Amino acid sequence: DDSATRGLWALQHCMLVMEHTTFCCTPNVKFLSNLPVADVEGGNSAAKKKKFAVVAADVLSRLIAARDGWGNRVHPCLRATMAVLMNLTHSNAECAQTLATCGLCESVAGLLHALCFPSAAPEGASLRQRVVASLEVISLALGLLINLVEGAEQCK
């Protein structure tokens, strides 16, 4: 569907901007992680506000859930969204604790398991081939999990 593809393209590019904005820039991380934005579910101006980091975690959970149905089109969005969340949680225990309460640790761990041990492996693809194909997302997922475990006691 063209509108879904355009939406994924827009999400990926927005997250790439956020990734570069938050990389090694503590003031931007502090500002963005607490920035109130409209909830993903809210379609009107009176929608409940959530912190940007929580909305980004919600988006990541939705991308993870939709991964099987969308295939490779979701992969760049997963990568960009995880990079943003990894930047936001790096040396930021407050953000890590907030995201831990959203179930982000469990979602990312589930993604890692699905990437390394898919239920429907491509014909003739070894575990090594599957891992190499998803190496960047796997690396980002591990980095995000490390940040969550370091910053949130409940993720340990």
Side-chain angles (χ1 to χ4, degrees):
D1 168 275
D2 269 354
S3 65
T5 301
R6 282 193 307 272
L8 287 172
W9 181 88
L11 174 62
Q12 176 194 0
H13 286 80
C14 287
M15 287 299 179
L16 286 172
V17 168
M18 295 298 170
E19 175 189 357
H20 295 292
T21 302
T22 56
F23 183 73
C24 292
C25 187
T26 304
N28 286 349
V29 166
K30 294 292 183 192
F31 177 77
L32 279 174
S33 61
N34 293 308
L35 180 70
V37 296
D39 186 357
V40 175
E41 293 295 322
N44 59 41
S45 59
K48 182 182 173 199
K49 301 282 185 176
K50 289 184 175 180
K51 292 180 179 182
F52 171 78
V54 172
V55 173
D58 289 346
V59 166
L60 181 61
S61 293
R62 290 167 187 259
L63 289 169
I64 291 169
R67 193 177 62 80
D68 289 336
W70 288 94
N72 290 337
R73 291 187 283 177
V74 143
H75 198 81
C77 293
L78 276 173
R79 194 216 68 73
T81 305
M82 273 196 286
V84 170
L85 290 167
M86 188 171 69
N87 289 348
L88 292 178
T89 57
H90 180 73
S91 298
N92 187 351
E94 179 186 345
C95 185
Q97 289 168 359
T98 299
L99 296 179
T101 63
C102 300
L104 185 61
C105 195
E106 293 84 357
S107 294
V108 175
L111 173 65
L112 272 173
H113 185 269
L115 289 171
C116 294
F117 306 104
S119 56
E123 187 68 32
S126 67
L127 174 59
R128 181 183 180 280
Q129 289 168 323
R130 292 190 308 259
V131 169
V132 168
S134 301
L135 191 57
E136 189 172 19
V137 171
I138 290 170
S139 296
L140 286 165
L142 289 170
L144 180 53
L145 284 175
I146 288 168
N147 290 349
L148 290 170
V149 167
E150 285 179 349
E153 196 62 36
Q154 66 203 61
C155 289
K156 293 183 179 178

